[in-house]
Amino acid sequence: MSQADLGADVVAQAIDWRVRLASGLAPLDEHDACVRWRAEHPSHEQAWQRLAVFDGRLDGMPLPQVSRTLRQRDRRTVLKGLAVLLGGTALIGGANLGLRDSPWLAEQRTATGQRRRLPLPDGGWLQMNSGTALDVVFDGQQRRIRLLAGEIMVQTGKHAAERPFWVETPMGSLQALGTGFSVRLADDSALLAVEQGAVAVHPGALAHAAAVIQAGEQVRFDRQRLFAVQALDRDALAWREGFLVVRQWRLAQLCAELGRYRSGVLRCDPAVADLLISGVFPLDEPERALAALGRSLPVRARYLTRWWVSLEPA
């Protein structure tokens, strides 16, 4: 990782901590975690202190406005100081450091394990899964969601003729054709699943090419191409009701999926990684799900700390 990339990440994390603590609702362990983060590296504390000038202006603001204030008004101040922090290597301007597309600066976010339903100005709605970050841009000409991380389910309103509805992702753009659909981002691809209507997919490197995915279908895509269209996996949409439905999954796959809904590290020992499991697990109680595994498989959850858990042979 370059110095500039490291600097952008540090600034984004500092802004995120400021936003969370400015809400006045952060529990004590959040404050303690922030103190530990500041102590991890001198650059963390320097980025934190450069944001301190805004503390008085954040009091009483709604969280989206806090985020916008730090993102729009403080960016140049912080980045000027960041040039010194990085030994003169930083370039002034958010785009140069990749901050524009950072999930840390999104206007709408869900924490690990949190899900939230968000009404849209056109009468539609979207539901955000755990660890999701996005921006909503609605005006007289457009309806646009910028999905930066995580997973959403969208139900569009009835303004398609006047204002097309788009979801932008790092992998490409999706145009809703009067529909209900979900989008999930992975590190190197995205998955579109269409429940109602249809969605046109435009991979990022193929600006003028599009494929239309119909209701009952899903497709994975990256910036270069679309993969094979498949039948919709409705089990994968059960997160909206707070459940994870698995059918003959490897334990390692289940471990990775449950890890999306709990803070810290959830590790699967290679000795049990290939065990198969089926079941329905509550996403709001991942510790309960881990305990249930021991009743179905010869495994146990070993807690090194509350943040570090390993699934091992019983």
Side-chain angles (χ1 to χ4, degrees), residues 21 30 53 73 111 196 198 261 313:
L21 300 187
E30 287 275 288
V53 66
R73 300 187 61 184
Q196 302 171 13
Y261 298 91

Side-chain angles (χ1 to χ4, degrees), residues 190-302:
L191 178 66
L192 164 70
V194 183
E195 283 195 294
Q196 302 171 13
V199 177
V201 186
H202 302 258
L206 306 174
H208 301 294
V212 177
I213 308 303
Q214 303 290 340
E217 296 179 337
Q218 66 182 39
V219 68
R220 187 170 296 279
F221 64 98
D222 60 22
R223 290 188 56 80
Q224 306 297 328
R225 63 197 181 282
L226 275 76
F227 297 89
V229 176
Q230 300 176 328
L232 178 66
D233 178 8
R234 296 191 180 275
D235 286 348
L237 304 179
W239 64 266
R240 293 174 300 176
E241 283 73 47
F243 296 102
L244 174 62
V245 179
V246 305
R247 301 176 193 269
Q248 292 295 289
W249 282 22
R250 295 176 60 245
L251 185 59
Q253 180 184 359
L254 174 62
C255 187
E257 191 67 12
L258 284 176
R260 298 177 61 205
Y261 298 91
R262 68 181 305 279
S263 298
V265 175
L266 178 57
R267 177 183 173 274
C268 185
D269 190 302
V272 296
D274 291 330
L275 295 176
L276 298 180
I277 181 117
S278 298
V280 179
F281 300 91
L283 294 179
D284 292 332
E285 301 176 273
E287 310 310 314
R288 178 181 160 198
L290 292 178
L293 291 176
R295 295 192 289 271
S296 303
L297 296 174
V299 301
R300 69 182 182 110
R302 184 164 71 96

Side-chain angles (χ1 to χ4, degrees), residues 133-151:
L134 57 85
D135 292 328
V136 179
V137 182
F138 273 58
D139 56 34
Q141 288 74 46
Q142 64 179 333
R143 298 178 296 165
R144 193 173 298 271
I145 306 296
R146 294 183 62 241
L147 180 61
L148 304 175
E151 182 174 17

